[in-house]
Each structure stands twice: as structure tokens, then as C-alpha cells.
Amino acid sequence: MPPVRYARVSGGGCVAYRVYGGGGLDLLNVKEWAASVDACWEHPAHLRNQQYQGSLARCAMFDPRGIGPSDPVAVDDLGDVDAWVQDAIAVMDAIGMDRVVLFGEGFGGHAAVALAVAHPERVEALVLANCSVCGIRAHDRPYGATGEDLDALVELVQAQWGTGAVVFNSSRSLGSDKRFREFCGRFERTAASPSTAARWVRAAFFSDVTALLPRIAVRTLVLYTGELVHTSVEAARDLAARIPGARLLESLSSMYWFDDPQAARTFGEFMFGSGWDKRGDRRLKTIMFTDIVASTDR
């Protein structure tokens, strides 16, 4: 487990981060806010994702201020995307990542979009996983949540945050695993308190990157892994359609998208170009050594 370190943000504040993996590229995870760096290494479901990414690139993940071991912020500042971008830049500078592939997940995708637009010189490519333009329903977003839907979700978060019930509400296939659900209870508690989580949920749904999407000038891949109650495939398709030249990847796997051969191949080619994977040239050889009892004496 790589150590947690701290980066100092210009203007004050500390951001907790981890660095892992190695390779020719640098990859910065702008992860979903509820996935604290203190818990991401405690369950195989998340560890496998870190191991896969770490096999391709030098990676970093961090908690934005207001989450986990990073500095707290005022209640009204929770979920501020511009502050999230500042936190990401502070981590990049602390590690020495001049130019990165941004992997933005969920609401973290909005911070990744904002960073790519504000600092294109520091972004090699952009990957947006299970992200939407905005979570609230509108005439051009029929897939979004209604006000009643959001109120019900916030009420659930306030009442059951820290029990694992929220992940079951978000993905029934994942939440049906009792052990995973129990882990997610701790996962939630290390990230935020119920009231803080409720604020983040509202911020996530109301955040809108419509105006930023046409300004993205870096290579972009939109990834959808399926079976998510609050982010539909229609949301992913709409997001990709609004970004100039973006590619859309709809994975057949609901959790380990890199276990889907086509998804892993498309992701690898997006990162490194065609023909990047040379693993097909490998051969497995086995050497068996046996020792006979008392053979040395003989």
C-alpha cells in the first residue's frame, strides 16, 4: 500500500494523495468524491482497478478538500469544482507530473473537464467514466433526475450513509454482495459524515459542464460501465456527443471494465496508440525441478 502524502494548495490547505504504478505515462485519477484514498486499497474491487492502471502508467489519486484526510472546508464550499481543479494542480506539482492523462469518474469528471479546459497544456488526454453533462433533468436531458428523485436520494444519504445502503441504491448488482456492501459502509465513513455527503450529492447533481464541453481541445474517451441507477447510458452518449472528436466506449462489464477484452483494447489504444499491446508475443515456459530423497548421499 503506497503511503498517503500531502500537497499544499496555493492560498492554503493540504490535499492527501497516493502515487502508485509506473510506466511511460502519468495518469491522474480525479475520482468520485466518496472514494477516499484511505479506503481505496482495502478491498479487491478497488485494488484491482489501481493495479490495472498502475500496470500502464505512473498514477496518482487524491481527496479534494472537504473529503477524507484532506483539509476541511466551509459547508458552502463543498463540491466546488474550481477548488477541486486547484487541488489537482497542487498534487501534480507536488509529484512532478507536468502533463497527465486525466481519468475523471462520476462528479470527478466535471473537475477533470474544467482542468482540461483551463490547462490544456498539462493534459495529454481525458477519460470520463460514468459521467454526465448534468444530473438534473432538462428539456435536452430527459435522462436526468427530477427534483423529487434528488430529494429522495439526499434523504437516503442523510439517513443511511455509512451502512453501505447507498451503493446498493446506486448499483443493485454490486450492492447485492453483502461483504462488498459492508466494506462500502466503511468506505463511506472514511470519506465524509452524512451531512457532508448530502451536500456533495446535491453539488454533484446540480453541477453543469454544458458550456465547457465544446471547449475541450484534448483527446477524449467517454467510458460507460453500465448498471448504474443514477447515470444512464443515454447520459454517457449525450456527453460524448457534446465533446469535439470524443470516442464513446460502452463496456459489457459493470465493475471491472478492463476485464472486458474489447474495452481494455480500446482503452489501451486510446492511451498508447494502435499495436500497443505486445502481450500476444509472449510464451509461457515451465521449468520443473525434482529432488529424490537421499540423492545427495548417493
Side-chain angles (χ1 to χ4, degrees):
M1 183 184 297
V4 173
R5 304 192 184 281
Y6 282 93
R8 294 194 175 274
V9 183
S10 176
C14 292
V15 178
Y17 69 90
R18 292 186 193 269
V19 180
Y20 55 97
L25 287 177
D26 284 340
L27 185 149
L28 181 67
N29 268 299
V30 190
K31 57 183 178 48
E32 187 60 273
W33 61 270
S36 171
V37 295
D38 262 341
C40 279
W41 297 83
E42 296 183 7
H43 193 280
H46 293 272
L47 182 59
R48 288 186 66 191
N49 186 53
Q50 273 88 260
Q51 289 174 329
Y52 176 77
Q53 290 185 341
S55 71
L56 302 176
R58 179 177 67 152
C59 305
M61 64 167 58
F62 67 98
D63 282 345
R65 283 170 291 173
I67 291 297
S70 292
D71 270 350
V73 297
V75 172
D76 291 341
D77 294 332
L78 290 171
D80 182 271
V81 171
D82 291 335
W84 208 337
V85 171
Q86 294 175 11
D87 296 346
I89 292 294
V91 170
M92 291 170 61
D93 290 343
I95 300 170
M97 290 182 164
D98 296 324
R99 191 172 174 85
V100 298
V101 173
L102 284 176
F103 194 102
E105 179 187 4
F107 185 25
H110 284 201
V113 165
L115 198 162
V117 170
H119 302 280
E121 75 285 354
R122 303 200 65 173
V123 179
E124 179 69 30
L126 176 64
V127 181
L128 301 174
N130 299 322
C131 182
S132 63
V133 178
C134 178
I136 298 298
R137 184 172 300 177
H139 71 278
D140 61 340
R141 296 191 304 271
Y143 51 78
T146 65
E148 292 78 10
D149 294 334
L150 179 55
D151 288 343
L153 177 59
V154 169
E155 184 177 344
L156 172 71
V157 169
Q158 290 176 328
Q160 300 192 50
W161 185 259
T163 67
V166 175
V167 72
F168 180 70
N169 179 266
S170 301
S171 177
R172 297 300 168 88
S173 63
L174 297 178
S176 60
D177 182 335
K178 182 181 178 182
R179 291 173 61 189
F180 184 74
R181 193 165 64 248
E182 290 173 349
F183 161 75
C184 286
R186 168 169 164 71
F187 201 69
E188 294 164 1
R189 295 190 300 272
T190 60
S193 68
S195 57
T196 297
R199 287 272 186 168
W200 273 91
V201 168
R202 284 202 179 275
F205 272 80
F206 279 105
S207 181
D208 190 339
V209 291
T210 301
L212 295 179
L213 298 178
R215 298 169 55 192
I216 295 176
V218 299
R219 294 186 300 114
T220 303
L221 176 68
V222 175
L223 172 65
Y224 183 73
T225 61
E227 291 192 82
L228 299 173
V229 174
H230 304 296
T231 304
S232 66
V233 67
E234 288 79 17
R237 291 168 181 168
D238 183 32
L239 179 68
R242 296 174 187 246
I243 301 173
R247 296 180 63 183
L248 174 65
L249 172 58
E250 298 177 25
S251 172
L252 300 176
S253 173
S254 62
M255 182 64 177
Y256 306 116
W257 58 267
F258 46 84
D259 283 345
D260 175 353
Q262 182 57 49
R265 187 178 306 111
T266 300
F267 180 79
E269 289 177 352
F270 175 80
M271 293 271 285
F272 302 102
S274 60
W276 70 278
D277 191 352
K278 304 299 184 185
R279 287 175 294 182
D281 296 335
R282 295 182 180 181
R283 297 291 183 271
L284 176 64
K285 293 186 178 181
T286 303
I287 299 175
M288 183 177 71
F289 174 82
T290 61
D291 191 15
I292 302 174
V293 175
S295 61
T296 302
D297 294 341
R298 289 179 180 273

